[in-house]
């Protein structure tokens, strides 16, 4: 690496990288070269990919996916089962990352596929909707305040009662505002967000052991039934629908390995085999 950098410095008559404390930072010339070199490498990669042959049964390829704990919990169990049978030597890795940076990670080759909510991708990113979800409310079984108001699992929690109970909110960046808060504000109401955590699983565990309310995606709630002592309710307002979407680099549309994995992901998410938790909640899906 040092020798190659030395040759580049001599060829371009520029330091390219200079030390700042414990980091090596690019010079202005290095930043100028980044995009054209990336495009050249991408062109070579695309040219090679068009002639590539992918056989799942014998491939040893590794794929990097990005998704939150919700998406990994929903996707990875059925996907792992499908891939283990069809492609036993393929490796799948899934990491969590801020949605604001996932397209950059695709572009830089640090990820192959992103599973996220509906985003605004650049023109060089392709996408496919694979699932539609929405938020439901969860509370510990027999929550005393909800029970004292005669609410049963599957009922909608009245807005004033919803705001009277402290909440735990899944927030990757620490924000204390969720999708329902603007609707509450229009009614002159505000809820008390007592705790924020970066993962939906942590929301569910904290709700089970406290008297806080939490909001989690409906398909994730289904996976918890029978595992945690939770009751599921509808929020006071209709929860906005969320399109779960798969993203990848458009230039890999024709890559057989990427196309195979995209198909496997779509099939794994097509019909999640998870139990129902309430007839009234299920009816709200229709």
């Amino acid at each position: 690496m040092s020798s190659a950098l030395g040759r580049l410095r001599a060829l371009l008559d520029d330091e390219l990288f200079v030390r700042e404390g414990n980091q090596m930072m690019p010079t202005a010339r290095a930043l100028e070269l980044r995009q054209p070199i990336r495009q050249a490498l991408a062109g070579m990669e695309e040219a090679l990919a068009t002639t590539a042959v992918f056989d799942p049964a014998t491939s040893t390829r590794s794929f990097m996916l990005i998704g939150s704990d919700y998406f990994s919990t929903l996707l990875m169990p059925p996907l792992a089962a499908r891939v283990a049978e069809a492609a036993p030597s393929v490796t799948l890795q899934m990491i969590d990352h801020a949605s604001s940076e996932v397209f950059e990670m695709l572009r830089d080759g640090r990820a192959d596929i992103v599973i996220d909510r509906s985003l605004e991708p650049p023109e060089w990113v392709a996408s496919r909707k694979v699932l539609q979800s929405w938020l439901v409310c969860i509370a510990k079984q027999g929550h005393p305040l909800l029970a004292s108001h005669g609410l049963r699992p599957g009922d909608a929690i009245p807005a004033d009662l919803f705001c009277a109970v402290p909440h735990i909110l899944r927030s990757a960046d620490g924000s204390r505002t969720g999708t329902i808060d603007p609707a509450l504000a229009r009614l002159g109401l505000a809820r008390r967000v007592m705790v924020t955590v970066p993962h939906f699983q942590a929301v569910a565990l904290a709700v089970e052991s406290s008297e806080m309310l939490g909001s989690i995606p409906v398909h994730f709630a289904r996976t918890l039934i029978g595992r945690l002592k939770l009751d599921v309710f509808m929020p006071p307002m209709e929860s906005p629908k969320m399109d779960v979407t798969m993203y990848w680099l458009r230039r890999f549309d024709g890559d057989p390995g990427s196309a195979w994995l995209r198909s496997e992901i779509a099939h794994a998410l097509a019909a999640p085999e998870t139990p129902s938790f309430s007839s009234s909640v299920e009816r709200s899906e229709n």
Side-chain angles (χ1 to χ4, degrees):
M1 181 73 74
S2 297
S3 297
L5 181 58
R7 292 194 295 272
L8 282 172
R9 283 169 166 166
L11 178 65
L12 299 172
D13 191 26
D14 189 272
E15 284 294 300
L16 296 179
F17 294 91
V18 295
R19 183 172 295 280
E20 291 185 7
N22 294 325
Q23 295 182 304
M24 293 293 287
M25 303 300 294
T27 64
R29 178 61 171 150
L31 293 173
E32 289 176 1
L33 292 170
R34 180 173 57 181
Q35 191 59 31
I37 290 177
R38 178 180 287 136
Q39 291 174 345
L41 291 173
M44 294 174 61
E45 197 172 41
E46 185 175 7
L48 293 172
T50 56
T51 59
V53 175
F54 180 81
D55 180 4
T58 59
S59 176
T60 59
R61 188 165 167 179
S62 294
F63 294 94
M64 180 66 74
L65 288 75
I66 299 179
S68 71
D69 70 316
Y70 162 46
F71 301 119
S72 62
T73 301
L74 190 64
L75 169 65
M76 295 309 284
L79 180 63
R82 292 179 64 91
V83 170
E85 181 177 352
S89 296
V90 163
T91 300
L92 300 178
Q93 296 173 270
M94 194 166 195
I95 60 173
D96 195 352
H97 211 280
S99 297
S100 59
E101 300 177 5
V102 295
F103 296 139
E104 179 181 344
M105 295 182 72
L106 280 177
R107 182 193 62 195
D108 293 348
R110 290 178 285 163
D112 298 290
I113 293 176
V114 172
I115 311 293
D116 210 319
R117 56 186 169 82
S118 181
L119 304 171
E120 290 292 334
E123 54 86 21
W124 41 268
V125 170
S127 65
R128 175 182 176 181
K129 174 185 167 183
V130 290
L131 189 70
Q132 190 173 73
S133 189
W134 56 94
L135 295 179
V136 294
C137 295
I138 54 172
K140 67 184 295 184
Q141 281 186 0
H143 190 287
L145 185 57
L146 300 185
S148 71
H149 283 73
L151 291 178
R152 301 175 61 184
D155 290 346
I157 303 175
D160 55 348
L161 184 57
F162 183 84
C163 293
V165 183
H167 288 248
I168 177 168
L169 177 69
R170 186 265 177 182
S171 174
D173 60 4
S175 169
R176 291 186 293 173
T177 301
T179 57
I180 198 171
D181 292 288
L184 291 172
R186 288 193 290 271
L187 296 176
L189 298 172
R191 62 176 171 169
R192 159 89 164 106
V193 174
M194 181 177 288
V195 178
T196 70
V197 292
H199 301 119
F200 285 115
Q201 182 76 15
V203 171
L205 292 172
V207 165
E208 184 191 36
S209 60
S210 72
E211 295 188 4
M212 291 185 290
L213 295 181
S215 297
I216 63 176
V218 62
H219 294 89
F220 191 48
R222 289 184 184 140
T223 69
L224 300 176
I225 300 306
R227 302 181 188 181
L228 299 179
K229 295 179 180 180
L230 297 170
D231 287 332
V232 181
F233 298 87
M234 295 302 295
M237 296 87 169
E238 183 177 357
S239 177
K241 297 295 190 292
M242 175 181 69
D243 290 337
V244 177
T245 305
M246 175 167 47
Y247 303 93
W248 66 94
L249 287 177
R250 192 174 299 280
R251 58 187 170 85
F252 282 108
D253 271 344
D255 173 60
S258 176
W260 169 81
L261 182 57
R262 299 195 305 267
S263 177
E264 291 296 310
I265 290 172
H267 279 93
L269 291 176
E273 296 181 1
T274 50
S276 302
F277 42 73
S278 165
S279 59
S280 58
V281 172
E282 295 300 325
R283 283 197 301 270
S284 71
E285 300 176 19
N286 300 321

